[in-house]
Amino acid sequence: MKKLLLIAALAAVALGANADGYKIEKVWEINDVSFLMVGDTRQGFGMNGKFYINDKANEVVYVIENPNIGDVNDDSSINISDATTLIDYLLSNDASNINPTYADMNGDNAINISDVTKLIDHLLTGPQITTLPGGANCGITRDEAGNIIVSTATFPSVWGFDATLKVINPATGEIKEHLIPEECAILGRCDFISFAKGNLMEDGEMFITGATQETQISRIVVAGGEVSPDDCYYMNCDGVITSPQTLLNYYIDLNGDEAVLYVTRNASLKKMLFDGDNFTGSTVALPGKGASNGTFPFVWDGMELFVYPITPNYQNGFAVAEAGAEAPIVEVPSSLSGNPNAYQANWLNAEVDEDGVTIYQYTPGANITVWRLTKE
């Protein structure tokens, strides 16, 4: 494991402009991301409180956790007093002086002697980032089951007919590689990949497109743990033009229908619904949308919402809004003065639970941040 310095800022104040009844707060942030080579770590996402960022040069996935873990006494520093506080808690069972979230060093939702051991190791060796096997291409995503997906296609070449999707279970370390069949081969260069349906270890689907596919979208189907060539084919959607940076995020919409969100950073977003072997698309207009990669769909509080980059272009501001809305329900302005990366990426994704929405933001070259959207 590679030792890396994580500089974090914990905040608990609402930021930006909020609509009545909604607020967004910063949970934690790493605002020195110099340990990630901006040219090699071009895509990432958040899941279950962690970030997963692919390094194409080293072919590893960095797993980045809340750097405040270990600050047991919640004094904004991690030192021997935290170990003392944790031991005192185990002896007394008095939790009044600890932050339980930061005391759970191993993330198993329990506080015991193993957390003391890990905290002491942390103090002796410094913070570390764990890794998983990665891919030679930029793209990284997940499926509905929580498996990580990367591509073995060489960057920035065309994917060709020997590219595979590497599927990794982050909990067990199990890996499967799926060869993309000729029936839906990725034609041309493809830098980023998108949220997938189901469980690509067992049964699932993924939608990808390459630079020279024009209106064609590759539908890749996994059945019984293997790619099913008979179910793989090219789909079409009027008004959709592919590029090396096109994303096709699968989701379930407000009506309970399957949908795919077409995202090309500087083109109109389209919501695509299944229509036989093809798609029908409708334009998604969002207030103040900027020309960066990163828009992600989700359903919450009776609304079909989108978290998306805003203007100024190529920075790290973002908002959450319904399609066609006059204004977003929350907005966080940019904290930057310029473009932190050359591929115009400001990655955002959302996890919905019964109490609100966790929003993950990875802006390569700028920040890694967890936000919390709730009702006031």
Side-chain angles (χ1 to χ4, degrees):
M1 294 185 292
K2 184 178 180 181
K3 298 179 185 178
L4 298 168
L5 177 63
L6 302 181
I7 300 176
L10 178 68
V13 294
L15 299 173
N18 302 339
D20 289 343
Y22 298 97
K23 65 178 180 179
I24 191 162
E25 297 173 302
K26 185 185 295 182
V27 180
W28 61 265
E29 180 172 65
I30 300 170
N31 51 30
D32 178 357
V33 294
S34 57
F35 60 91
L36 298 171
M37 296 300 294
V38 70
D40 294 322
T41 55
R42 300 190 181 202
Q43 189 176 13
F45 70 91
M47 176 176 67
N48 298 328
K50 303 176 183 179
F51 282 85
Y52 297 85
I53 298 171
N54 186 62
D55 181 336
K56 66 180 178 61
N58 296 301
E59 296 187 35
V60 297
V61 173
Y62 296 121
V63 184
I64 301 173
E65 301 185 57
N66 185 342
N68 301 298
I69 299 297
D71 184 12
V72 178
N73 57 16
D74 209 4
D75 66 351
S76 300
S77 64
I78 303 173
N79 51 42
I80 193 64
S81 67
D82 294 293
T84 303
T85 302
L86 183 53
I87 292 169
D88 287 345
Y89 162 73
L90 293 176
L91 292 173
S92 68
N93 204 34
D94 179 4
S96 60
N97 295 319
I98 72 166
N99 183 318
T101 299
Y102 298 165
D104 184 11
M105 292 292 299
N106 54 16
D108 63 355
N109 297 315
I111 302 174
N112 50 43
I113 194 63
S114 67
D115 295 299
V116 177
T117 302
K118 188 164 184 180
L119 177 54
I120 292 172
D121 183 64
H122 175 95
L123 294 173
L124 292 173
T125 63
Q128 297 180 331
I129 289 180
T130 58
T131 62
L132 294 166
N137 207 267
C138 303
I140 180 170
T141 189
R142 57 163 291 191
D143 61 21
E144 288 182 298
N147 297 307
I148 298 164
I149 307 160
V150 295
S151 167
T152 64
T154 301
F155 177 85
S157 304
V158 300
W159 280 35
F161 295 99
D162 58 353
T164 65
L165 294 172
K166 184 185 293 183
V167 185
I168 307 131
N169 183 321
T172 66
E174 180 187 0
I175 296 174
K176 277 192 175 183
E177 286 201 38
H178 297 309
L179 180 67
I180 300 173
E182 291 188 17
E183 289 81 356
C184 62
I186 311 304
L187 306 177
R189 174 175 164 177
C190 174
D191 295 356
F192 304 131
I193 52 178
S194 317
F195 190 85
K197 173 184 176 180
N199 181 346
L200 290 192
M201 285 282 186
E202 300 172 2
D203 298 285
E205 298 181 23
M206 192 169 185
F207 302 90
I208 309 178
T209 193
T212 60
Q213 291 184 215
E214 298 181 345
T215 64
Q216 290 185 326
I217 294 163
S218 296
R219 185 178 194 173
I220 303 163
V221 177
V222 174
E226 303 292 339
V227 172
S228 175
D230 291 341
D231 297 309
C232 297
Y233 54 90
Y234 294 112
M235 304 180 71
N236 286 280
C237 184
D238 291 341
V240 168
I241 303 297
T242 65
S243 81
Q245 298 186 351
T246 294
L247 286 102
L248 300 155
N249 285 317
Y250 172 87
Y251 72 109
I252 302 296
D253 73 6
L254 185 62
N255 298 320
D257 294 325
E258 293 184 304
V260 173
L261 183 67
Y262 159 85
V263 183
T264 293
R265 65 171 188 85
N266 55 355
S268 297
L269 301 169
K270 286 193 180 293
K271 176 183 176 179
M272 305 191 305
L273 295 174
F274 291 82
D275 184 10
D277 290 338
N278 295 296
F279 289 113
T280 56
S282 57
T283 299
V284 174
L286 299 170
K289 181 185 176 298
S292 291
N293 294 297
T295 303
F296 190 87
F298 64 99
V299 172
W300 176 65
D301 197 33
M303 297 178 288
E304 186 168 328
L305 295 165
F306 302 86
V307 56
Y308 59 98
I310 59 172
T311 54
N313 285 332
Y314 318 138
Q315 298 184 22
N316 66 351
F318 72 94
V320 177
E322 293 181 280
E326 292 185 4
I329 65 168
V330 293
E331 181 177 330
V332 176
S334 172
S335 63
L336 306 177
S337 59
N339 186 352
N341 58 72
Y343 36 89
Q344 292 80 46
N346 178 13
W347 299 110
L348 299 148
N349 70 283
E351 285 182 331
V352 178
D353 58 62
E354 61 182 12
D355 298 317
V357 183
T358 299
I359 293 174
Y360 299 90
Q361 180 183 33
Y362 170 49
T363 307
N367 60 285
I368 296 169
T369 312
V370 176
W371 303 86
R372 187 68 178 164
L373 171 62
T374 55
K375 297 179 70 173
E376 293 184 297

